[in-house]
Amino acid sequence: QVQLVESGGGLVQAGGSLRLSCAASGRTFSSYAMGWFRQAPGKEREFVAGITSGRSTYYADSVKGRFTISRDNAKNTVYLQMNSLKPEDTAVYYCAAERTSYSNYAPKFRNDYDYWGQGTQVTVSS
C-alpha cells in the first residue's frame, strides 16, 4: 500500500508556472505507474499526465507542450511542472498511483488507479 501527499498548488496569473510534487510512502515506489488528474468545480475528474515505471510519459492533449511529468525514485516523488498556465487549468490536482509489473503500463483512466492523494488547489487568474 502507498500513501500520497501532494504539494505546490497555489494562485498564479495566466502565463505563469507552478510545480506540483507528490511524495509517496513505501519502499517500492519504482514499481508504480504514476499519474496526475484534475477536477474543476462541476466537472468530472480528468487525466492530465502519466509516467510509467519505465519512465515513459504521456499527456492529455489539453496540456501537451505545456506540462511535464517526471519522477525521482530516490525521493519517492513525482512532479508536474506546469508552464504557460491558463484560467481553464484551474482545478484541484490529484496524484494517483498504481502498482504494476509492466514497465510500459500507461494507465490514463480514473478506475485504473488504486491509490490517490488528497489533492492540491491550483487557481489561475486571468
Side-chain angles (χ1 to χ4, degrees):
Q1 192 159 349
V2 64
Q3 292 183 324
L4 306 172
V5 179
E6 302 99 333
S7 61
L11 173 64
V12 64
Q13 288 188 330
S17 299
L18 282 175
R19 188 176 83 153
L20 306 183
S21 300
C22 172
S25 64
R27 293 180 289 180
T28 59
F29 177 74
S30 61
S31 299
Y32 284 81
M34 302 297 297
W36 285 98
F37 287 71
R38 67 187 181 187
Q39 188 166 15
K43 294 189 176 182
E44 295 290 319
R45 191 172 299 188
E46 65 175 1
F47 171 79
V48 174
I51 184 165
T52 68
S53 62
R55 296 181 179 271
S56 295
T57 59
Y58 49 107
Y59 301 90
D61 288 344
S62 58
V63 306
K64 204 171 291 183
R66 300 188 298 122
F67 290 11
T68 302
I69 188 172
S70 61
R71 65 191 298 160
D72 185 337
N73 288 343
K75 295 182 178 180
N76 280 17
T77 301
V78 63
Y79 303 98
L80 185 68
Q81 178 67 45
M82 305 185 296
N83 298 330
S84 302
L85 282 162
K86 304 175 181 180
E88 52 263 44
D89 294 317
T90 295
V92 177
Y93 282 71
Y94 296 91
C95 175
E98 177 66 11
R99 186 158 187 177
T100 179
S101 300
Y102 301 98
S103 62
N104 61 348
Y105 177 53
K108 61 186 304 182
F109 297 103
R110 184 174 180 175
N111 289 342
D112 292 336
Y113 290 88
D114 283 337
Y115 304 103
W116 293 85
Q118 82 289 348
T120 186
Q121 177 70 46
V122 171
T123 302
V124 184
S125 64
S126 56

